[in-house]
Amino acid sequence: MKKILTFVFLFVLFGCGTTKKESSDVNAIPQGPEGLKYRTSKADEAKKLVTIKSGEEGTFSSSEEISVLMNFLASDELKGRDSGSEGIATAATYIEAIFKENNVAPYFNSYKDTLTNFNPTTYNVVGYVEGNDPSLKNEFIILGAHYDHIGLLSSENGDVIANGANDNASGTSTVLELARYFGNAKTNKRSIIFALFSAEEKGLLGSDHLAKKLKTKNLNLYAMLNFEMTGVPLKNKDYFMYITGYEMSNLAAVSNQYASEKLIGFLPTAKEFNLFKRSDNYPFHETFGVPSHTYCTFDFTNFDHYHKVGDEVSLMDFTHMAEVVNKMIPVLNGIVNASQKEIKYN
């Protein structure tokens, strides 16, 4: 999330969480975009999609799929994905390859959309899956996450790379898995834009750029749903995730209805520190005035490496991350296929 001093103070007071990592074969980690096509066989992919369409949503994403994405995006080779760096450019190409591999079309002339409000050159990566309903396809849902991080820091135990695994390779992986699902299943009546933002850490610049650009094109935006820091589970909560701006709309109720469980709850500290304004949902709220929220599983107590070199992939819970994807699939299918716009600001 966008860095604020209050967060640092809270980490000192409350940071005590421990997490786990699913084991993975390092040799299976792709060294570049070409490795993506071997993540799963076409037969396995077809089997997963048939299962999803029959209503058993819990079987699509897996810890193995998440492992491949996270081990690349949060690798030392990308040097912390600082905006404008060679590392984030490599990440952009990787994301672009995933979109191509999974039938997600570029929304603009190309997937990479150069920011006009930041130098040196950096890109948002923007794809979309057109809706299959003649009327509803003109309404859009944006699923977003920022894929940039803060690059290199002062040495800590010989490490200078802020890998940004939880912040926000995790949210990026969530969106990429959802793109893989919708790009192949084609179940959506409304159109979906998949937006991976750069320069969030510089002040929400990537999302601000895209929001204003889409506004000039008179995009009929229904809602913007963002994913941030989904790498480790909440603890001692009776809900699975929370949303920022919980009391501003009925998104939590809509999400819980489609999930058939208490998927989304209210986190008081999210309201106290106004996290609604601290992530990439906010520029869309400001520009379009439509429901715009961030889904998150970071609660100030379960992860103490925010903006530090310790934000490593080894601390991520891949099983939890796959569960985020699998639980969101029926929610998003419900939202994009409902006959009327159900999410409304209060």
Side-chain angles (χ1 to χ4, degrees):
M1 291 186 175
K2 184 182 175 185
K3 188 173 184 180
I4 52 175
L5 293 177
T6 315
F7 283 9
V8 178
F9 176 69
L10 281 168
F11 280 123
V12 174
L13 288 179
F14 300 113
C16 60
T18 58
T19 56
K20 63 180 180 179
K21 176 184 179 295
E22 293 284 322
S23 61
S24 60
D25 180 3
V26 174
N27 294 324
I29 298 170
Q31 300 303 306
E34 288 303 312
L36 290 169
K37 62 186 64 177
Y38 304 111
R39 291 188 305 130
T40 185
S41 72
K42 293 297 183 183
D44 288 343
E45 189 77 354
K47 183 178 179 181
K48 285 184 177 184
L49 291 168
V50 168
T51 303
I52 291 289
K53 288 181 178 180
S54 69
E56 300 176 17
E57 288 87 355
T59 61
F60 181 74
S61 188
S62 69
S63 60
E64 290 78 15
E65 298 285 352
I66 296 294
S67 171
V68 173
L69 296 170
M70 290 294 292
N71 276 294
F72 188 88
L73 291 169
S75 65
D76 284 352
E77 287 73 18
L78 299 191
K79 293 182 170 55
R81 306 186 310 277
D82 197 10
S83 297
S85 70
E86 181 179 345
I88 197 171
T90 301
T93 299
Y94 184 78
I95 292 166
E96 180 180 41
I98 293 174
F99 282 170
K100 289 179 180 177
E101 181 74 10
N102 290 287
N103 307 306
V104 178
Y107 183 75
F108 301 113
N109 292 331
S110 66
Y111 293 102
K112 295 175 182 174
D113 180 38
T114 304
L115 270 60
T116 56
N117 54 359
F118 181 80
N119 284 309
T121 299
T122 194
Y123 316 96
N124 291 333
V125 188
V126 187
Y128 93 113
V129 175
E130 185 177 28
N132 58 33
D133 182 272
S135 177
L136 291 178
K137 71 178 183 180
N138 297 312
E139 298 176 3
F140 284 77
I141 300 284
I142 294 177
L143 303 182
H146 75 91
Y147 74 107
D148 68 307
H149 196 50
I150 57 175
L152 305 179
L153 301 177
S154 299
S155 179
E156 182 178 327
N157 298 320
D159 189 2
V160 298
I161 301 173
N163 298 81
N166 201 18
D167 185 14
N168 188 35
S170 64
T172 299
S173 296
T174 300
V175 172
L176 290 176
E177 282 289 83
L178 292 171
R180 184 168 69 90
Y181 168 71
F182 282 104
N184 290 287
K186 305 293 186 184
T187 58
N188 52 300
K189 293 182 179 181
R190 290 181 173 85
S191 296
I192 304 174
I193 290 176
F194 299 93
L196 283 308
F197 304 111
S198 187
E200 188 267 2
E201 301 288 1
K202 310 299 183 182
L204 311 182
L205 297 182
S207 50
D208 182 66
H209 162 86
L210 183 62
K212 290 175 179 175
K213 184 170 184 174
L214 293 176
K215 185 67 172 179
T216 65
K217 296 181 177 295
N218 296 315
L219 184 83
N220 184 3
L221 182 61
Y222 168 19
M224 192 282 176
L225 307 178
N226 192 53
F227 294 87
E228 178 96 40
M229 297 182 76
T230 57
V232 296
L234 295 170
K235 294 185 177 183
N236 303 316
K237 304 289 192 299
D238 65 351
Y239 50 88
F240 184 73
M241 286 191 289
Y242 67 89
I243 57 169
T244 62
Y246 178 94
E247 296 169 307
M248 295 181 64
S249 82
N250 64 339
L251 176 61
V254 171
S255 297
N256 292 342
Q257 175 188 348
Y258 285 122
S260 299
E261 63 175 292
K262 191 174 180 181
L263 182 69
I264 307 301
F266 172 64
L267 182 70
T269 48
K271 179 180 180 180
E272 181 181 356
F273 294 102
N274 203 5
L275 300 192
F276 180 75
K277 294 185 177 181
R278 301 296 178 182
S279 197
D280 289 308
N281 59 288
Y282 188 64
F284 293 90
H285 161 76
E286 281 197 311
T287 303
F288 283 90
V290 300
S292 305
H293 297 269
T294 292
Y295 290 91
C296 186
T297 63
F298 161 75
D299 71 351
F300 302 97
T301 69
N302 62 349
F303 189 74
D304 60 358
H305 299 280
Y306 172 76
H307 281 195
K308 298 178 180 179
V309 297
D311 187 0
E312 299 273 6
V313 71
S314 60
L315 299 180
M316 299 298 99
D317 187 331
F318 297 155
T319 298
H320 161 74
M321 293 179 64
E323 196 173 4
V324 170
V325 176
N326 292 326
K327 286 179 178 292
M328 284 304 302
I329 285 173
V331 172
L332 295 172
N333 263 324
I335 290 170
V336 300
N337 293 321
S339 59
Q340 303 293 326
K341 292 181 178 180
E342 298 173 309
I343 307 169
K344 301 180 185 299
Y345 270 148
N346 295 327

